[in-house]
Structures are given as structure tokens and as C-alpha cells.
Amino acid sequence: MKHATRMPAPPTGENRREGAPARETGGARRAPVRRSGRWAAWAFLAPVVVYLLAFYVYPLYRNVDLSLRDYTVRSFVRGDAPFTGLANYAKVVRDATFGPALWHTVVFTVVSLAFQFTIGLALAVFFARNFRLSATLRALFLVPWLLPLIVSSSTWSWMLNSESGVVNAVLSAVGIGPVNWLTSPDWSLWSVTIANIWIGIPFNLVVLYSGLQAIPSAVYEAAALDGATGWQRFWRVTFPLLRPVSAITLLLGLVYTLKVFDIIWIMTKGGPSDASTTLATWSYRLGFGNLLPSFGPGAAVGNLLIVIALVFGLVYIRTQRRQGAA
């Protein structure tokens, strides 16, 4: 005799209601887990946010506030400087030092970037061959980058000294008269530019060398099979594929070079007769280099430098977006 198989009875309304709290309990358990994960994420982000607010946002706010008020030593201490709007910016632009300082900044930045990038790229291509002692020589080239700027600047000041410098001693040995590298209006700007080029070459070398390592060797092999010469491989393979790395290298170099202060100040203090004064050194001299400092105009010059760097940064971002879209 076969027994009929009984099918389980469908759940009644009461059973459904009894099972609902179990599902609700599981969802209630997942909700605290999600909230705890969010709190953990914010806990990790909190130090970064605090750092940015304390060392970037607040100083930038204070610098903008300084440039919009008529601060003196007394009002700076008491905090009751009157609001003047854009008067400090107008004063800076009308100053006789503004034009030469802007021109010196352009020359110093463009010449430094051109030679730093060109020499750094040539060295990166040279070291990409991975010959014997390549790693040792690359490490030696990093020395100017690792030295404190005050040491490098002081060394260059000693080397370019008109009376006891090594450079003039070498020139005298080959029959060339001494050159007043640091005290002549014709040479002071070029002297600090040469020192800045020497200091910035290792940075370009490291970044560009890393970019070269990311280029597949198969691309060079295909170009060689097509009969491309070494120069053609560089211009048609290496340089185009290195363009993104080159762009970020030039942008970072631009931002760094615009704000170079210590090299110029240690070597020439912007002299003689403002012959090597840039916007960075002028900003410092206005705010801290006089017995009666001009905090407002000094902050205004500093903000102009920030705006210039920001414009070039936005241009770079827009260019990268266009290349990504293409």
C-alpha cells in the first residue's frame, strides 16, 4: 500500500509575520556594519583633511586676507587692519619693480625648464641602455637633488666668487679674464639660473627614466625591423610615447621653479640693483626684508604667483582630458 506524500502546507499569514522579524534582524545587522565601515573610512580620511586644512587652506586664506587689507606691524599684532580691497594689487602692478621682476621670473623659469628637461631627457635615454656602472652613475647624479638647497646655493656662491671662485680660476688658466658672476647686473640672473638648472636636472632624470622603462621593448624592435635609425626611433617612438610623462615633468618643474626663493636669495639676494629679483624674492623682501614690512603688497605678489601656477595647472588638466577623449 502506497502512502500518499503530503505536501507542506503553504505558510499562513501568521507564519509570514513570524518569519519577517528574522529577515529584518539580518538587515538590521548589516546596517550597523555599513555605518561602522563609513566611520572607519572617515577615520582614515580625517588626518589628511586636517593636514590640508591646517597647512594649505588656512595659510591660503590668511594670505588672501593679508593681500586685501592694509596691514602694518601694529595692525598685524592687534588684528584691526582696515579692508582695502584690491588696492594692494594695484600698488604692486604700478610699482617700478613689477615689470623687471616679472620678466626675470619668466626668463629664469623658461631657461631653467628648457635646460633641465633637455639634459634630463638626454641622460635618461643614455642610462636606459643599462650598461655597466649605470646604477652607480645614476645614484651620483641624484646628489644635487638630495643636498639641502642652502648647501647647494652656498657651494655655487663660492664657486662663482669673483676673487676666489673656482670658475674664475679655470677661466684665468685658459686666458679669460675674471667675470663678476654675482655682482654684475649682466651676469647675476644667469648665475642663479645655472645653479637652478644643476639642481633640477636629477628630478627630470628620475621621472623621465621611469617613463622610459614603461615603454615596451617590442615597439623598438618593430621600429628596428622597419629600418628606423636611432634618431628616428627617438622622435617617432620614444618622444611621442613619453609625452604624458614629459607633460607632468614640465608642470611640476614649472610650479617648483616659479617659487624658487632660497637659491636666488642666498646667492645674490635679488641684486645687484634688482638685476636678479623675481616675484618670489620680491614677495619675501616686501613682507620680511625691510624694517617697515609691507605685508599686504608682499601677500599680493605671492597670490599672483599662485594664480600663475594655477592657470598652468588648469591648462595641463584640460590638455590631458582632450588627449584622453581623443
Side-chain angles (χ1 to χ4, degrees):
M1 182 177 179
K2 296 182 180 180
H3 297 280
T5 304
R6 293 185 177 181
M7 300 297 294
T12 62
E14 294 179 358
N15 292 336
R16 293 194 189 99
R17 285 194 297 270
E18 290 176 359
R23 288 193 297 269
E24 292 177 0
T25 303
R29 289 176 180 175
R30 287 193 294 269
V33 173
R34 292 175 182 174
R35 284 196 293 267
S36 62
R38 292 174 184 174
W39 282 113
W42 279 111
F44 280 108
L45 287 176
V48 179
V49 174
V50 172
Y51 174 80
L52 292 176
L53 291 176
F55 295 99
Y56 285 91
V57 177
Y58 180 72
L60 182 60
Y61 162 75
R62 287 294 299 158
N63 204 55
V64 173
D65 182 70
L66 280 172
S67 67
L68 299 177
R69 297 180 181 274
D70 183 18
Y71 272 98
T72 61
V73 176
R74 180 178 179 181
S75 62
F76 187 83
V77 175
R78 297 178 58 180
D80 57 353
F83 181 80
T84 58
L86 299 178
N88 288 323
Y89 292 91
K91 181 180 179 180
V92 164
V93 173
R94 290 196 300 263
D95 196 292
T97 310
F98 177 76
L102 180 60
W103 173 246
H104 297 158
T105 303
V106 172
V107 173
F108 179 78
T109 302
V110 172
V111 175
S112 295
L113 286 179
F115 280 91
Q116 287 174 355
F117 180 81
T118 303
I119 299 174
L121 179 58
L123 291 173
V125 173
F126 176 72
F127 285 119
R129 301 177 180 179
N130 293 324
F131 54 90
R132 184 178 296 180
L133 298 180
S134 174
T136 304
L137 292 176
R138 285 204 314 271
L140 292 177
F141 270 101
L142 291 178
V143 171
W145 193 29
L146 299 176
L147 287 176
L149 288 177
I150 188 172
V151 175
S152 302
S153 304
S154 302
T155 303
W156 275 99
S157 297
W158 169 74
M159 292 173 58
L160 297 176
N161 187 276
S162 301
E163 299 178 357
S164 58
V166 175
V167 177
N168 276 345
V170 174
L171 293 178
S172 300
V174 296
I176 301 177
V179 178
N180 297 322
W181 297 100
L182 305 177
T183 57
S184 171
D186 298 328
W187 288 103
S188 58
L189 181 61
W190 299 112
S191 300
V192 295
T193 304
I194 292 172
N196 187 65
I197 291 172
W198 179 79
I199 293 172
I201 288 175
F203 171 76
N204 288 259
L205 167 61
V206 170
V207 178
L208 295 173
Y209 179 82
S210 301
L212 288 175
Q213 299 303 305
I215 299 177
S217 59
V219 180
Y220 292 105
E221 295 174 359
L225 291 176
D226 291 337
T229 63
W231 190 249
Q232 289 173 335
R233 288 197 298 269
F234 173 77
W235 280 111
R236 298 182 181 183
V237 177
T238 303
F239 198 72
L241 293 178
L242 203 61
R243 189 173 299 166
V245 179
S246 301
I248 191 62
T249 303
L250 290 173
L251 177 63
L252 293 176
L254 173 70
V255 174
Y256 169 79
T257 308
L258 281 175
K259 66 182 184 64
V260 167
F261 158 77
D262 31 23
I263 299 173
I264 302 175
W265 192 258
I266 292 173
M267 293 182 65
T268 64
K269 288 186 170 56
S273 302
D274 293 335
S276 58
T277 295
T278 61
L279 293 178
T281 57
W282 188 33
S283 175
Y284 175 83
R285 192 175 64 191
L286 287 172
F288 304 99
N290 301 315
L291 294 176
L292 296 176
S294 302
F295 295 115
V301 176
N303 288 333
L304 291 178
L305 278 174
I306 294 175
V307 171
I308 294 173
L310 181 62
V311 167
F312 281 99
L314 293 176
V315 170
Y316 168 77
I317 294 175
R318 186 171 182 181
T319 304
Q320 290 296 104
R321 286 180 178 177
R322 287 183 177 178
Q323 292 178 354

